[in-house]
Amino acid sequence: MENTQFHIKYNKTEIASVMDFANINHADSACVDCSDETTDSNERQVCFIRALGAYSGLTTDILSVDKMLTQNMHEGNGKYIRINALPQITDSGDIAVYKKSYEYWINGGRKVITSKCLKGKDIEELAGRAFYQVIEKFRACTAGVSASMEQNFAIKLMYWADKVCEVFFQNWELLKNCKFIYSGSLKKQEYLFCYFLTFFGIDVLMLRTENDTEPGKALENLSMDIKLGEFGKCDIPQYHPEMSQSKNIVVNTRRADRDERTRQMQNRQAAIGGNQEQNTQAVAGDSQSGQNRQPVMGGIQSGRQAVIRDSQTQRNSGIVLTPEPKHELAFEELALLASSIVMITIHDKKGKPLGSGSGIMINEQGYILTNNHVACQGHFYSVRIEGDEEVYQTDEMIKYNQLLDLAIIRIDKTLQPVPFYQGEKPLVRGQKVVAIGSPLGLFNSVSDGIISGFRNIDNVDMIQFTAPTSRGSSGGAVFNMYGEVIGISTAEIGYGQNINLAVGYEYINTFIQGFYKTK
C-alpha cells in the first residue's frame, strides 16, 4: 500500500471532449493545491471537472472511452467506472451496518472510517480524513444541519463507495490511473460524493449535458467547469464493462508484499509449460458473499440488476477432437471424484472465518480453480482435501477474472486434477449432471440433476442445472456422466427451486490455459 500521507491537487488542464479527459496525463501539468492538510509527503494530482453541455459525437466518444479504459483496466493499466445514477439505500440491514461505521468514526475522533470496501489500516485512515473534509463541506453548505442529517449523508457516502466504487478500492494504489465519469443527478450530496473520490487520487468528470448544478458558494470552487457545447437533450448510454472487452482478458492486480512469492510461482509455472508471467499476480481474497456477480449462492443480491436472457449460443467450444472411446460412469463412480474437490474457508487478517466455498483441482502442483466471489477479499484461505486430515493454509491468489467470476489459488500440496470437458459435442438440455461442493459447509456433498437450460447473464453464457446447491457450493464442479468438468457452480436463484447456474467449460478452459493440460 502506498503512503497515504499526500497532498491532493487539482489538475488545471483544459479539455474539449470526453476523450481528452480519458487521455489526461498528470505529468508536467499546472496545478493548484486543494488539500486542507499540510504535509511534506507525496503529492497527487487529480481532475475534478464539471463538463457543461454536449457536442456532436459525444455519445460516440463515450462509447470509445468505455472501450479504451475498460481494455486498459483489464490489462492492469488503471481502473475505470462510469455510471448514470447513484443507487438508493433502502435495506434496513445495510443502514444499520453503515450507521455503526459512522458511530465508530465519531467515537474514534473522526479519524478512521471502515466499510466493506474501505478496509485495511492505510485505506481506513485515508477514508477517515477524506470523510472529515467532505462532512465539513456538507455542514458548511447545509442550513440548519442536524446530527441526523449528517449521519444520513455519511451513510450514503459509505454505501455509494461500496456499491459503486469497489473496483477503485480493491488493492488501491495512489499512483494508479483511475477515472470516474458520472452523468446522473448532481445535487449537493452526489456532488460531494464525487468530491470524496478525488481524495483517493481518482479523476472525476461530471457530465452536465442539459443544465448545470448549483452546489452553492461553499462548493462552487471545488470543481473546474469546462464548456463542451450547448445545453440540450443527450441520451447517454449505460456502461457495460463486459461489452468493452474480450471475454478471455484477465483482470490483474499486484500486492507489493507478495512480489517474491509471485516470482516463485512464475518459476513453477514455467516447469509445467505455461508462461503466465503477465497473468500471475497476487491479490487478496474474500468470502462467499458473491458481490462481484449479482445472482449468488442464496439469492440475487441488491445492487446492479443482473440481465438474464436465454442463450442461443451452442454449447460447443468449436474444438474438433478425435476422443478415445468413453463410457458413462455410475453415480457411485462419479462420487469418487470428490477427492479432487476441496473446501475453502476464507479468513480476514486476524484469522476470523469470513465464509466458505469450494474449489476444483486443476494441476498437480497445487493449483485450485474457484469463483472470484469466493476468493476476492479474504486475507488468506484454509483448504481441506477429502481423506486428508491436514488443513492447508495459503494466501496465494494467482489469477482472477471478475466478469467471469473465476479465480485460481494455490496450496503447497501435490494434487490430483480432474479432467475438463473439451467440447467434442454440444451440451444439451436434459443431459444428466452431477454437482460436487460443500453447501453450507457440508464437506463434499454430491447431488445429481440435469441441464435445464442455457442462460446469458450480463453477457456471459451460463449453464442452468437442477442438481441442488446452496451457499458454499460456489466454486464446486459440475460433471457430465463421463466424469469431466463441464462447469463451475457459480450462482443460485434463491427464491426459486433448483435454479442453479454454472460458468461453462469454454470460459474455464481459456482461463486455466497454462495451468491445466488436456490428457
PDB file of all heavy atoms in Angstrom, residues 303-337:
ATOM      1  N   GLY A 303     -28.476  -4.256  -5.725  1.00  0.00           N
ATOM      2  CA  GLY A 303     -27.402  -3.569  -6.427  1.00  0.00           C
ATOM      3  C   GLY A 303     -27.664  -3.627  -7.916  1.00  0.00           C
ATOM      4  O   GLY A 303     -28.789  -3.547  -8.381  1.00  0.00           O
ATOM      5  N   ARG A 304     -26.604  -3.767  -8.726  1.00  0.00           N
ATOM      6  CA  ARG A 304     -26.746  -3.792 -10.172  1.00  0.00           C
ATOM      7  C   ARG A 304     -27.662  -4.932 -10.582  1.00  0.00           C
ATOM      8  O   ARG A 304     -27.478  -6.073 -10.205  1.00  0.00           O
ATOM      9  CB  ARG A 304     -25.363  -3.968 -10.818  1.00  0.00           C
ATOM     10  CG  ARG A 304     -25.413  -4.013 -12.328  1.00  0.00           C
ATOM     11  CD  ARG A 304     -23.996  -3.993 -12.879  1.00  0.00           C
ATOM     12  NE  ARG A 304     -23.212  -5.091 -12.390  1.00  0.00           N
ATOM     13  CZ  ARG A 304     -23.170  -6.286 -12.978  1.00  0.00           C
ATOM     14  NH1 ARG A 304     -23.890  -6.528 -14.058  1.00  0.00           N
ATOM     15  NH2 ARG A 304     -22.410  -7.244 -12.497  1.00  0.00           N
ATOM     16  N   GLN A 305     -28.670  -4.643 -11.387  1.00  0.00           N
ATOM     17  CA  GLN A 305     -29.621  -5.663 -11.799  1.00  0.00           C
ATOM     18  C   GLN A 305     -28.985  -6.585 -12.827  1.00  0.00           C
ATOM     19  O   GLN A 305     -28.499  -6.149 -13.862  1.00  0.00           O
ATOM     20  CB  GLN A 305     -30.863  -5.001 -12.415  1.00  0.00           C
ATOM     21  CG  GLN A 305     -31.930  -5.993 -12.848  1.00  0.00           C
ATOM     22  CD  GLN A 305     -32.543  -6.712 -11.668  1.00  0.00           C
ATOM     23  OE1 GLN A 305     -32.778  -6.121 -10.637  1.00  0.00           O
ATOM     24  NE2 GLN A 305     -32.781  -7.998 -11.819  1.00  0.00           N
ATOM     25  N   ALA A 306     -28.963  -7.855 -12.534  1.00  0.00           N
ATOM     26  CA  ALA A 306     -28.422  -8.827 -13.484  1.00  0.00           C
ATOM     27  C   ALA A 306     -29.404  -9.027 -14.625  1.00  0.00           C
ATOM     28  O   ALA A 306     -30.607  -9.160 -14.411  1.00  0.00           O
ATOM     29  CB  ALA A 306     -28.165 -10.148 -12.785  1.00  0.00           C
ATOM     30  N   VAL A 307     -28.901  -9.016 -15.839  1.00  0.00           N
ATOM     31  CA  VAL A 307     -29.741  -9.237 -17.015  1.00  0.00           C
ATOM     32  C   VAL A 307     -29.644 -10.703 -17.411  1.00  0.00           C
ATOM     33  O   VAL A 307     -28.583 -11.192 -17.760  1.00  0.00           O
ATOM     34  CB  VAL A 307     -29.290  -8.338 -18.192  1.00  0.00           C
ATOM     35  CG1 VAL A 307     -30.149  -8.594 -19.405  1.00  0.00           C
ATOM     36  CG2 VAL A 307     -29.352  -6.874 -17.770  1.00  0.00           C
ATOM     37  N   ILE A 308     -30.765 -11.417 -17.326  1.00  0.00           N
ATOM     38  CA  ILE A 308     -30.781 -12.837 -17.623  1.00  0.00           C
ATOM     39  C   ILE A 308     -31.559 -13.055 -18.910  1.00  0.00           C
ATOM     40  O   ILE A 308     -32.711 -12.668 -19.029  1.00  0.00           O
ATOM     41  CB  ILE A 308     -31.437 -13.637 -16.477  1.00  0.00           C
ATOM     42  CG1 ILE A 308     -30.701 -13.351 -15.159  1.00  0.00           C
ATOM     43  CG2 ILE A 308     -31.430 -15.118 -16.783  1.00  0.00           C
ATOM     44  CD1 ILE A 308     -31.308 -14.043 -13.978  1.00  0.00           C
ATOM     45  N   ARG A 309     -30.923 -13.688 -19.885  1.00  0.00           N
ATOM     46  CA  ARG A 309     -31.572 -13.937 -21.161  1.00  0.00           C
ATOM     47  C   ARG A 309     -31.329 -15.380 -21.563  1.00  0.00           C
ATOM     48  O   ARG A 309     -30.358 -15.994 -21.146  1.00  0.00           O
ATOM     49  CB  ARG A 309     -30.992 -13.013 -22.249  1.00  0.00           C
ATOM     50  CG  ARG A 309     -31.196 -11.538 -21.991  1.00  0.00           C
ATOM     51  CD  ARG A 309     -30.692 -10.726 -23.170  1.00  0.00           C
ATOM     52  NE  ARG A 309     -29.265 -10.864 -23.343  1.00  0.00           N
ATOM     53  CZ  ARG A 309     -28.386 -10.085 -22.747  1.00  0.00           C
ATOM     54  NH1 ARG A 309     -28.777  -9.136 -21.939  1.00  0.00           N
ATOM     55  NH2 ARG A 309     -27.098 -10.252 -22.943  1.00  0.00           N
ATOM     56  N   ASP A 310     -32.227 -15.902 -22.389  1.00  0.00           N
ATOM     57  CA  ASP A 310     -31.958 -17.213 -22.974  1.00  0.00           C
ATOM     58  C   ASP A 310     -30.731 -17.097 -23.864  1.00  0.00           C
ATOM     59  O   ASP A 310     -30.585 -16.140 -24.619  1.00  0.00           O
ATOM     60  CB  ASP A 310     -33.146 -17.682 -23.825  1.00  0.00           C
ATOM     61  CG  ASP A 310     -34.338 -18.055 -22.970  1.00  0.00           C
ATOM     62  OD1 ASP A 310     -34.138 -18.263 -21.768  1.00  0.00           O
ATOM     63  OD2 ASP A 310     -35.445 -18.135 -23.510  1.00  0.00           O
ATOM     64  N   SER A 311     -29.849 -18.060 -23.762  1.00  0.00           N
ATOM     65  CA  SER A 311     -28.653 -18.045 -24.585  1.00  0.00           C
ATOM     66  C   SER A 311     -28.872 -18.893 -25.828  1.00  0.00           C
ATOM     67  O   SER A 311     -29.255 -20.052 -25.743  1.00  0.00           O
ATOM     68  CB  SER A 311     -27.451 -18.582 -23.794  1.00  0.00           C
ATOM     69  OG  SER A 311     -26.342 -18.700 -24.638  1.00  0.00           O
ATOM     70  N   GLN A 312     -28.632 -18.297 -26.985  1.00  0.00           N
ATOM     71  CA  GLN A 312     -28.762 -19.023 -28.240  1.00  0.00           C
ATOM     72  C   GLN A 312     -27.433 -19.646 -28.658  1.00  0.00           C
ATOM     73  O   GLN A 312     -27.334 -20.301 -29.690  1.00  0.00           O
ATOM     74  CB  GLN A 312     -29.246 -18.066 -29.348  1.00  0.00           C
ATOM     75  CG  GLN A 312     -30.588 -17.412 -29.015  1.00  0.00           C
ATOM     76  CD  GLN A 312     -31.678 -18.424 -28.786  1.00  0.00           C
ATOM     77  OE1 GLN A 312     -31.775 -19.407 -29.519  1.00  0.00           O
ATOM     78  NE2 GLN A 312     -32.498 -18.195 -27.768  1.00  0.00           N
ATOM     79  N   THR A 313     -26.420 -19.413 -27.830  1.00  0.00           N
ATOM     80  CA  THR A 313     -25.093 -19.927 -28.166  1.00  0.00           C
ATOM     81  C   THR A 313     -25.069 -21.442 -28.071  1.00  0.00           C
ATOM     82  O   THR A 313     -25.498 -22.017 -27.093  1.00  0.00           O
ATOM     83  CB  THR A 313     -24.044 -19.345 -27.208  1.00  0.00           C
ATOM     84  OG1 THR A 313     -24.128 -17.915 -27.255  1.00  0.00           O
ATOM     85  CG2 THR A 313     -22.651 -19.799 -27.578  1.00  0.00           C
ATOM     86  N   GLN A 314     -24.559 -22.104 -29.076  1.00  0.00           N
ATOM     87  CA  GLN A 314     -24.381 -23.544 -28.999  1.00  0.00           C
ATOM     88  C   GLN A 314     -23.358 -23.854 -27.923  1.00  0.00           C
ATOM     89  O   GLN A 314     -22.337 -23.183 -27.793  1.00  0.00           O
ATOM     90  CB  GLN A 314     -23.890 -24.096 -30.347  1.00  0.00           C
ATOM     91  CG  GLN A 314     -24.950 -24.097 -31.427  1.00  0.00           C
ATOM     92  CD  GLN A 314     -26.045 -25.109 -31.147  1.00  0.00           C
ATOM     93  OE1 GLN A 314     -25.763 -26.190 -30.652  1.00  0.00           O
ATOM     94  NE2 GLN A 314     -27.285 -24.765 -31.438  1.00  0.00           N
ATOM     95  N   ARG A 315     -23.616 -24.859 -27.137  1.00  0.00           N
ATOM     96  CA  ARG A 315     -22.697 -25.198 -26.059  1.00  0.00           C
ATOM     97  C   ARG A 315     -21.563 -26.048 -26.616  1.00  0.00           C
ATOM     98  O   ARG A 315     -21.425 -27.233 -26.350  1.00  0.00           O
ATOM     99  CB  ARG A 315     -23.440 -25.937 -24.947  1.00  0.00           C
ATOM    100  CG  ARG A 315     -24.712 -25.253 -24.520  1.00  0.00           C
ATOM    101  CD  ARG A 315     -24.426 -23.847 -24.058  1.00  0.00           C
ATOM    102  NE  ARG A 315     -23.602 -23.856 -22.877  1.00  0.00           N
ATOM    103  CZ  ARG A 315     -23.106 -22.773 -22.323  1.00  0.00           C
ATOM    104  NH1 ARG A 315     -23.317 -21.598 -22.851  1.00  0.00           N
ATOM    105  NH2 ARG A 315     -22.384 -22.866 -21.239  1.00  0.00           N
ATOM    106  N   ASN A 316     -20.763 -25.430 -27.445  1.00  0.00           N
ATOM    107  CA  ASN A 316     -19.674 -26.149 -28.101  1.00  0.00           C
ATOM    108  C   ASN A 316     -18.549 -25.168 -28.312  1.00  0.00           C
ATOM    109  O   ASN A 316     -18.754 -24.089 -28.842  1.00  0.00           O
ATOM    110  CB  ASN A 316     -20.142 -26.707 -29.451  1.00  0.00           C
ATOM    111  CG  ASN A 316     -19.150 -27.695 -30.042  1.00  0.00           C
ATOM    112  OD1 ASN A 316     -17.970 -27.647 -29.721  1.00  0.00           O
ATOM    113  ND2 ASN A 316     -19.624 -28.585 -30.887  1.00  0.00           N
ATOM    114  N   SER A 317     -17.377 -25.498 -27.870  1.00  0.00           N
ATOM    115  CA  SER A 317     -16.251 -24.585 -27.981  1.00  0.00           C
ATOM    116  C   SER A 317     -15.693 -24.520 -29.390  1.00  0.00           C
ATOM    117  O   SER A 317     -14.848 -23.698 -29.683  1.00  0.00           O
ATOM    118  CB  SER A 317     -15.131 -25.042 -27.028  1.00  0.00           C
ATOM    119  OG  SER A 317     -14.620 -26.287 -27.460  1.00  0.00           O
ATOM    120  N   GLY A 318     -16.159 -25.388 -30.292  1.00  0.00           N
ATOM    121  CA  GLY A 318     -15.631 -25.405 -31.643  1.00  0.00           C
ATOM    122  C   GLY A 318     -14.390 -26.252 -31.788  1.00  0.00           C
ATOM    123  O   GLY A 318     -13.827 -26.360 -32.863  1.00  0.00           O
ATOM    124  N   ILE A 319     -13.938 -26.855 -30.685  1.00  0.00           N
ATOM    125  CA  ILE A 319     -12.749 -27.711 -30.745  1.00  0.00           C
ATOM    126  C   ILE A 319     -13.142 -29.053 -31.358  1.00  0.00           C
ATOM    127  O   ILE A 319     -14.089 -29.695 -30.924  1.00  0.00           O
ATOM    128  CB  ILE A 319     -12.161 -27.923 -29.345  1.00  0.00           C
ATOM    129  CG1 ILE A 319     -11.772 -26.558 -28.750  1.00  0.00           C
ATOM    130  CG2 ILE A 319     -10.967 -28.859 -29.378  1.00  0.00           C
ATOM    131  CD1 ILE A 319     -11.310 -26.662 -27.312  1.00  0.00           C
ATOM    132  N   VAL A 320     -12.442 -29.481 -32.370  1.00  0.00           N
ATOM    133  CA  VAL A 320     -12.724 -30.766 -33.008  1.00  0.00           C
ATOM    134  C   VAL A 320     -11.626 -31.751 -32.636  1.00  0.00           C
ATOM    135  O   VAL A 320     -10.468 -31.550 -32.960  1.00  0.00           O
ATOM    136  CB  VAL A 320     -12.817 -30.616 -34.538  1.00  0.00           C
ATOM    137  CG1 VAL A 320     -13.088 -31.966 -35.175  1.00  0.00           C
ATOM    138  CG2 VAL A 320     -13.908 -29.622 -34.905  1.00  0.00           C
ATOM    139  N   LEU A 321     -11.975 -32.782 -31.900  1.00  0.00           N
ATOM    140  CA  LEU A 321     -11.002 -33.768 -31.450  1.00  0.00           C
ATOM    141  C   LEU A 321     -11.435 -35.161 -31.903  1.00  0.00           C
ATOM    142  O   LEU A 321     -12.577 -35.378 -32.296  1.00  0.00           O
ATOM    143  CB  LEU A 321     -10.895 -33.757 -29.926  1.00  0.00           C
ATOM    144  CG  LEU A 321     -10.482 -32.423 -29.271  1.00  0.00           C
ATOM    145  CD1 LEU A 321     -10.568 -32.558 -27.761  1.00  0.00           C
ATOM    146  CD2 LEU A 321      -9.083 -32.039 -29.689  1.00  0.00           C
ATOM    147  N   THR A 322     -10.511 -36.067 -31.838  1.00  0.00           N
ATOM    148  CA  THR A 322     -10.860 -37.478 -32.039  1.00  0.00           C
ATOM    149  C   THR A 322     -10.660 -38.175 -30.706  1.00  0.00           C
ATOM    150  O   THR A 322      -9.579 -38.679 -30.395  1.00  0.00           O
ATOM    151  CB  THR A 322      -9.953 -38.112 -33.115  1.00  0.00           C
ATOM    152  OG1 THR A 322     -10.041 -37.340 -34.304  1.00  0.00           O
ATOM    153  CG2 THR A 322     -10.398 -39.548 -33.388  1.00  0.00           C
ATOM    154  N   PRO A 323     -11.688 -38.134 -29.849  1.00  0.00           N
ATOM    155  CA  PRO A 323     -11.512 -38.625 -28.482  1.00  0.00           C
ATOM    156  C   PRO A 323     -11.436 -40.135 -28.428  1.00  0.00           C
ATOM    157  O   PRO A 323     -11.922 -40.839 -29.309  1.00  0.00           O
ATOM    158  CB  PRO A 323     -12.785 -38.113 -27.784  1.00  0.00           C
ATOM    159  CG  PRO A 323     -13.803 -38.062 -28.887  1.00  0.00           C
ATOM    160  CD  PRO A 323     -13.052 -37.681 -30.129  1.00  0.00           C
ATOM    161  N   GLU A 324     -10.808 -40.587 -27.348  1.00  0.00           N
ATOM    162  CA  GLU A 324     -10.838 -42.014 -27.088  1.00  0.00           C
ATOM    163  C   GLU A 324     -12.252 -42.412 -26.686  1.00  0.00           C
ATOM    164  O   GLU A 324     -13.017 -41.598 -26.193  1.00  0.00           O
ATOM    165  CB  GLU A 324      -9.850 -42.346 -25.958  1.00  0.00           C
ATOM    166  CG  GLU A 324      -8.406 -42.053 -26.306  1.00  0.00           C
ATOM    167  CD  GLU A 324      -7.486 -42.386 -25.156  1.00  0.00           C
ATOM    168  OE1 GLU A 324      -8.005 -42.873 -24.118  1.00  0.00           O
ATOM    169  OE2 GLU A 324      -6.290 -42.161 -25.282  1.00  0.00           O
ATOM    170  N   PRO A 325     -12.629 -43.665 -26.930  1.00  0.00           N
ATOM    171  CA  PRO A 325     -13.978 -44.102 -26.545  1.00  0.00           C
ATOM    172  C   PRO A 325     -14.210 -43.872 -25.054  1.00  0.00           C
ATOM    173  O   PRO A 325     -13.341 -44.124 -24.226  1.00  0.00           O
ATOM    174  CB  PRO A 325     -13.972 -45.590 -26.898  1.00  0.00           C
ATOM    175  CG  PRO A 325     -12.899 -45.739 -27.925  1.00  0.00           C
ATOM    176  CD  PRO A 325     -11.858 -44.725 -27.595  1.00  0.00           C
ATOM    177  N   LYS A 326     -15.401 -43.363 -24.740  1.00  0.00           N
ATOM    178  CA  LYS A 326     -15.744 -43.096 -23.351  1.00  0.00           C
ATOM    179  C   LYS A 326     -16.910 -43.975 -22.943  1.00  0.00           C
ATOM    180  O   LYS A 326     -17.684 -44.436 -23.786  1.00  0.00           O
ATOM    181  CB  LYS A 326     -16.152 -41.623 -23.168  1.00  0.00           C
ATOM    182  CG  LYS A 326     -15.088 -40.613 -23.524  1.00  0.00           C
ATOM    183  CD  LYS A 326     -15.649 -39.212 -23.363  1.00  0.00           C
ATOM    184  CE  LYS A 326     -14.658 -38.145 -23.788  1.00  0.00           C
ATOM    185  NZ  LYS A 326     -15.228 -36.786 -23.674  1.00  0.00           N
ATOM    186  N   HIS A 327     -17.057 -44.172 -21.642  1.00  0.00           N
ATOM    187  CA  HIS A 327     -18.247 -44.853 -21.152  1.00  0.00           C
ATOM    188  C   HIS A 327     -18.783 -44.088 -19.953  1.00  0.00           C
ATOM    189  O   HIS A 327     -18.013 -43.496 -19.182  1.00  0.00           O
ATOM    190  CB  HIS A 327     -17.941 -46.311 -20.763  1.00  0.00           C
ATOM    191  CG  HIS A 327     -17.090 -46.436 -19.544  1.00  0.00           C
ATOM    192  ND1 HIS A 327     -15.715 -46.300 -19.573  1.00  0.00           N
ATOM    193  CD2 HIS A 327     -17.414 -46.678 -18.241  1.00  0.00           C
ATOM    194  CE1 HIS A 327     -15.231 -46.466 -18.363  1.00  0.00           C
ATOM    195  NE2 HIS A 327     -16.236 -46.693 -17.533  1.00  0.00           N
ATOM    196  N   GLU A 328     -20.096 -44.046 -19.845  1.00  0.00           N
ATOM    197  CA  GLU A 328     -20.709 -43.344 -18.737  1.00  0.00           C
ATOM    198  C   GLU A 328     -20.384 -44.037 -17.419  1.00  0.00           C
ATOM    199  O   GLU A 328     -20.286 -45.263 -17.351  1.00  0.00           O
ATOM    200  CB  GLU A 328     -22.227 -43.257 -18.927  1.00  0.00           C
ATOM    201  CG  GLU A 328     -22.628 -42.343 -20.065  1.00  0.00           C
ATOM    202  CD  GLU A 328     -24.118 -42.055 -20.053  1.00  0.00           C
ATOM    203  OE1 GLU A 328     -24.810 -42.540 -19.137  1.00  0.00           O
ATOM    204  OE2 GLU A 328     -24.586 -41.325 -20.939  1.00  0.00           O
ATOM    205  N   LEU A 329     -20.225 -43.222 -16.367  1.00  0.00           N
ATOM    206  CA  LEU A 329     -19.897 -43.734 -15.051  1.00  0.00           C
ATOM    207  C   LEU A 329     -21.158 -43.829 -14.204  1.00  0.00           C
ATOM    208  O   LEU A 329     -22.108 -43.056 -14.384  1.00  0.00           O
ATOM    209  CB  LEU A 329     -18.889 -42.816 -14.358  1.00  0.00           C
ATOM    210  CG  LEU A 329     -17.573 -42.550 -15.108  1.00  0.00           C
ATOM    211  CD1 LEU A 329     -16.708 -41.578 -14.309  1.00  0.00           C
ATOM    212  CD2 LEU A 329     -16.817 -43.845 -15.362  1.00  0.00           C
ATOM    213  N   ALA A 330     -21.156 -44.771 -13.282  1.00  0.00           N
ATOM    214  CA  ALA A 330     -22.244 -44.857 -12.315  1.00  0.00           C
ATOM    215  C   ALA A 330     -22.104 -43.714 -11.317  1.00  0.00           C
ATOM    216  O   ALA A 330     -21.023 -43.136 -11.146  1.00  0.00           O
ATOM    217  CB  ALA A 330     -22.192 -46.202 -11.591  1.00  0.00           C
ATOM    218  N   PHE A 331     -23.203 -43.363 -10.643  1.00  0.00           N
ATOM    219  CA  PHE A 331     -23.155 -42.277  -9.673  1.00  0.00           C
ATOM    220  C   PHE A 331     -22.115 -42.571  -8.583  1.00  0.00           C
ATOM    221  O   PHE A 331     -21.440 -41.662  -8.091  1.00  0.00           O
ATOM    222  CB  PHE A 331     -24.534 -42.055  -9.050  1.00  0.00           C
ATOM    223  CG  PHE A 331     -25.509 -41.394  -9.988  1.00  0.00           C
ATOM    224  CD1 PHE A 331     -26.643 -42.060 -10.413  1.00  0.00           C
ATOM    225  CD2 PHE A 331     -25.295 -40.107 -10.450  1.00  0.00           C
ATOM    226  CE1 PHE A 331     -27.537 -41.453 -11.274  1.00  0.00           C
ATOM    227  CE2 PHE A 331     -26.181 -39.487 -11.316  1.00  0.00           C
ATOM    228  CZ  PHE A 331     -27.310 -40.175 -11.735  1.00  0.00           C
ATOM    229  N   GLU A 332     -21.995 -43.835  -8.209  1.00  0.00           N
ATOM    230  CA  GLU A 332     -21.018 -44.188  -7.193  1.00  0.00           C
ATOM    231  C   GLU A 332     -19.591 -43.887  -7.665  1.00  0.00           C
ATOM    232  O   GLU A 332     -18.735 -43.464  -6.882  1.00  0.00           O
ATOM    233  CB  GLU A 332     -21.127 -45.672  -6.821  1.00  0.00           C
ATOM    234  CG  GLU A 332     -22.445 -46.052  -6.147  1.00  0.00           C
ATOM    235  CD  GLU A 332     -23.543 -46.391  -7.139  1.00  0.00           C
ATOM    236  OE1 GLU A 332     -23.344 -46.132  -8.358  1.00  0.00           O
ATOM    237  OE2 GLU A 332     -24.577 -46.903  -6.702  1.00  0.00           O
ATOM    238  N   GLU A 333     -19.347 -44.113  -8.960  1.00  0.00           N
ATOM    239  CA  GLU A 333     -18.026 -43.817  -9.510  1.00  0.00           C
ATOM    240  C   GLU A 333     -17.785 -42.316  -9.585  1.00  0.00           C
ATOM    241  O   GLU A 333     -16.687 -41.822  -9.298  1.00  0.00           O
ATOM    242  CB  GLU A 333     -17.884 -44.447 -10.897  1.00  0.00           C
ATOM    243  CG  GLU A 333     -17.917 -45.967 -10.902  1.00  0.00           C
ATOM    244  CD  GLU A 333     -17.887 -46.521 -12.317  1.00  0.00           C
ATOM    245  OE1 GLU A 333     -18.907 -46.382 -13.030  1.00  0.00           O
ATOM    246  OE2 GLU A 333     -16.840 -47.079 -12.700  1.00  0.00           O
ATOM    247  N   LEU A 334     -18.821 -41.575  -9.986  1.00  0.00           N
ATOM    248  CA  LEU A 334     -18.682 -40.124 -10.063  1.00  0.00           C
ATOM    249  C   LEU A 334     -18.431 -39.514  -8.690  1.00  0.00           C
ATOM    250  O   LEU A 334     -17.684 -38.545  -8.548  1.00  0.00           O
ATOM    251  CB  LEU A 334     -19.942 -39.508 -10.684  1.00  0.00           C
ATOM    252  CG  LEU A 334     -20.140 -39.779 -12.184  1.00  0.00           C
ATOM    253  CD1 LEU A 334     -21.544 -39.408 -12.613  1.00  0.00           C
ATOM    254  CD2 LEU A 334     -19.121 -38.994 -13.001  1.00  0.00           C
ATOM    255  N   ALA A 335     -19.053 -40.082  -7.662  1.00  0.00           N
ATOM    256  CA  ALA A 335     -18.871 -39.560  -6.307  1.00  0.00           C
ATOM    257  C   ALA A 335     -17.423 -39.655  -5.853  1.00  0.00           C
ATOM    258  O   ALA A 335     -16.971 -38.867  -5.003  1.00  0.00           O
ATOM    259  CB  ALA A 335     -19.782 -40.300  -5.336  1.00  0.00           C
ATOM    260  N   LEU A 336     -16.661 -40.595  -6.418  1.00  0.00           N
ATOM    261  CA  LEU A 336     -15.254 -40.737  -6.041  1.00  0.00           C
ATOM    262  C   LEU A 336     -14.420 -39.519  -6.473  1.00  0.00           C
ATOM    263  O   LEU A 336     -13.328 -39.283  -5.947  1.00  0.00           O
ATOM    264  CB  LEU A 336     -14.674 -42.013  -6.660  1.00  0.00           C
ATOM    265  CG  LEU A 336     -15.271 -43.334  -6.167  1.00  0.00           C
ATOM    266  CD1 LEU A 336     -14.676 -44.507  -6.930  1.00  0.00           C
ATOM    267  CD2 LEU A 336     -15.047 -43.500  -4.665  1.00  0.00           C
ATOM    268  N   LEU A 337     -14.941 -38.742  -7.431  1.00  0.00           N
ATOM    269  CA  LEU A 337     -14.227 -37.551  -7.889  1.00  0.00           C
ATOM    270  C   LEU A 337     -14.183 -36.469  -6.816  1.00  0.00           C
ATOM    271  O   LEU A 337     -13.473 -35.470  -6.959  1.00  0.00           O
ATOM    272  CB  LEU A 337     -14.881 -37.001  -9.160  1.00  0.00           C
ATOM    273  CG  LEU A 337     -14.798 -37.909 -10.391  1.00  0.00           C
ATOM    274  CD1 LEU A 337     -15.666 -37.369 -11.512  1.00  0.00           C
ATOM    275  CD2 LEU A 337     -13.348 -38.043 -10.850  1.00  0.00           C
TER     276      LEU A 337
END
